[in-house]
Amino acid sequence: MTFSDSDIAYMKRALDLARGGAGHVSPNPMVGAVIVAPDGRIIGEGWHRRFGGPHAEVNAVRSVTDADRHLFPEATMYVTLEPCSHYGKTPPCALLLKECGFARVVVACGDPNPKVAGRGIAILRDAGIRVDEGLLRDEAYALNRPFMTAHRLRRPYVVLKWAQSSDGFMDAVRTDESAGAYRFSTALTSQIVHRRRAMVDAIAVGARTVLADNPRLDVRLVEGRAPQPIVFDRHGLLRDVTSPLLDRAILIGDENLDTVLHSLYSDHGITSLLVEGGASLLRSFIDAGLWDDAFVEVSPERLGEKWVAKAPSLPDVPVGCEYIGDNMILHYEAPITH
Ligand code: AOF
Ligand code: ZN
């Protein structure tokens, strides 16, 4: 299938509209849609604005004026994701497009959600609508990397996060045992961590982190939803421990990591997971190749001889670097395999 320059321009517009949902639609994908009349005029536009709200196609159809509705049978819809086929919080978009009777629907990327997975496009084709798929697919995929990865691989999108000294260590010898973990983060970078927490469905820590830091794993520094805590206790260290965190947590024993992640997706509906440490838990995700994004906060401090935990290292080079005060946040991305 070859697409024209104007096809590309309309799909770019739909991708721009989709970005309007950033920060409001997760764990749903960002989606944008544009409706174009035969003379090239855009007669409707819409995007998925908030989780639980109408889908992009519905908003685009609603935006068309009464005077332009008669153009539907000759019009083309450009949409960044395959229209849905399921009765979710809203009725299926594919049925709406069929009712409108569009001549052509151009789709950037299929929807890997098992509830859709090709059925949306099949509904349109069965209705006699011409469907062209794959225009700016890579851009559409990258726009919703966590959503796409989770549904395609049937495991949560995994984000690793840790803070370390400039000489590569995560924790120091404690002079005061009640002091908790060594802190490299500043007030500002802690807020960034909380924002990142609010964007994921679940957050994982190891048993030693629970014992040493008694973390709350909440989002108290920002507005948002606290993620489901998941505690990996591979050596049964927490058998006799009680804490408010453990009351809320899903406990994982000595199980295969791949199997654990599939079950978090299938049984608990978890599509994104932030792994906060400690070093050995982070290393087990890296060694298994089960990670997608990593944010490493590097403080200018050197621990020298005082260190107790060596930070993990990643096989890739950073794709981004940002200074927040004196601390540097390195961003790594595992290569997309599709
Ligand atoms: C579309 N257009 O704009 C979006 C779609 O819970 P619901 O009913 O909102 O359905 C969410 C699922 O629908 C989501 O996981 C994804 O598969 C699809 N999202 N589909 O046709 C849209 N946001
Ligand atoms: Zn839909």
Side-chain angles (χ1 to χ4, degrees):
M1 177 70 212
T2 50
F3 293 98
S4 67
D5 287 349
S6 55
D7 282 336
I8 295 170
Y10 292 127
M11 191 58 90
K12 280 203 169 135
R13 174 69 187 154
L15 285 164
D16 280 346
L17 291 168
R19 289 187 190 97
H24 302 284
V25 299
S26 171
N28 274 359
M30 289 175 260
V31 182
V34 171
I35 304 170
V36 180
D39 64 357
R41 190 166 52 94
I42 291 180
I43 56 171
E45 289 188 332
W47 67 96
H48 185 41
R49 288 168 176 261
R50 56 173 182 84
F51 179 78
H55 287 179
E57 300 89 321
V58 176
N59 286 332
V61 167
R62 282 184 190 162
S63 78
V64 178
T65 61
D66 286 343
D68 281 336
R69 285 181 172 259
H70 72 280
L71 294 167
F72 282 165
E74 298 162 89
T76 297
M77 173 177 278
Y78 295 83
V79 58
T80 60
L81 184 76
E82 172 183 4
C84 67
S85 54
H86 66 292
Y87 285 87
K89 292 176 194 72
T90 56
C93 290
L95 292 185
L96 171 70
L97 305 196
K98 179 178 161 177
E99 243 169 67
C100 295
F102 290 114
R104 180 182 176 220
V105 175
V106 183
V107 175
C109 193
D111 183 347
N113 184 345
K115 289 179 191 155
V116 183
R119 286 183 208 95
I121 287 179
I123 291 174
L124 299 177
R125 290 209 168 116
D126 287 349
I129 296 174
R130 171 175 161 199
V131 181
D132 296 322
E133 199 194 344
L135 172 58
L136 302 182
R137 174 184 277 130
D138 289 353
E139 284 84 341
Y141 191 99
L143 176 68
N144 290 304
R145 206 168 114 100
F147 171 85
M148 297 289 176
T149 305
H151 290 300
R152 206 169 51 82
L153 303 180
R154 294 174 168 264
R155 63 153 174 86
Y157 185 81
V158 174
V159 183
L160 309 179
K161 175 248 136 190
W162 72 84
Q164 65 173 56
S165 61
S166 63
D167 48 354
F169 303 112
M170 280 176 67
D171 205 357
V173 175
R174 298 181 195 179
T175 42
D176 172 6
E177 268 311 313
S178 64
Y182 199 85
R183 284 203 70 77
F184 299 106
S185 302
T186 63
L188 210 52
T189 60
S190 301
Q191 206 168 343
I192 292 172
V193 168
H194 282 217
R195 188 162 2 108
R196 199 158 283 137
R197 284 179 179 171
M199 281 159 47
V200 292
D201 295 341
I203 183 166
V205 289
R208 282 197 195 88
T209 302
V210 173
L211 290 172
D213 309 346
N214 191 21
R216 284 191 270 174
L217 302 184
D218 59 13
V219 294
R220 61 193 175 281
L221 302 179
V222 294
E223 229 180 89
R225 199 170 38 118
Q228 166 68 49
I230 297 180
V231 175
F232 283 77
D233 184 18
R234 281 174 289 186
H235 308 290
L237 302 177
L238 301 175
R239 249 188 309 254
D240 304 318
V241 178
T242 53
S243 81
L245 174 72
L246 291 172
D247 288 343
R248 295 193 288 132
I250 296 174
L251 263 180
I252 311 284
D254 188 15
E255 296 158 58
N256 172 280
L257 193 53
D258 201 38
T259 314
V260 168
L261 290 185
H262 285 306
S263 133
L264 291 178
Y265 171 85
S266 313
D267 304 333
H268 299 276
I270 291 169
T271 59
S272 52
L273 175 68
L274 182 67
V275 185
E276 290 212 8
S280 72
L281 184 66
L282 288 159
R283 232 173 254 122
S284 64
F285 280 83
I286 295 169
D287 292 346
L290 290 169
W291 66 282
D292 302 290
D293 252 336
F295 295 92
V296 181
E297 178 173 354
V298 184
S299 136
E301 211 169 335
R302 295 180 67 83
L303 287 188
E305 295 304 304
K306 291 181 297 184
W307 65 274
V308 290
K310 202 166 175 4
S313 55
L314 289 162
D316 306 76
V317 291
V319 294
C321 170
E322 188 185 10
Y323 271 93
I324 309 282
D326 291 334
N327 284 10
M328 177 172 74
I329 299 184
L330 296 171
H331 177 203
Y332 296 80
E333 250 178 28
I336 294 178
T337 47
H338 68 110

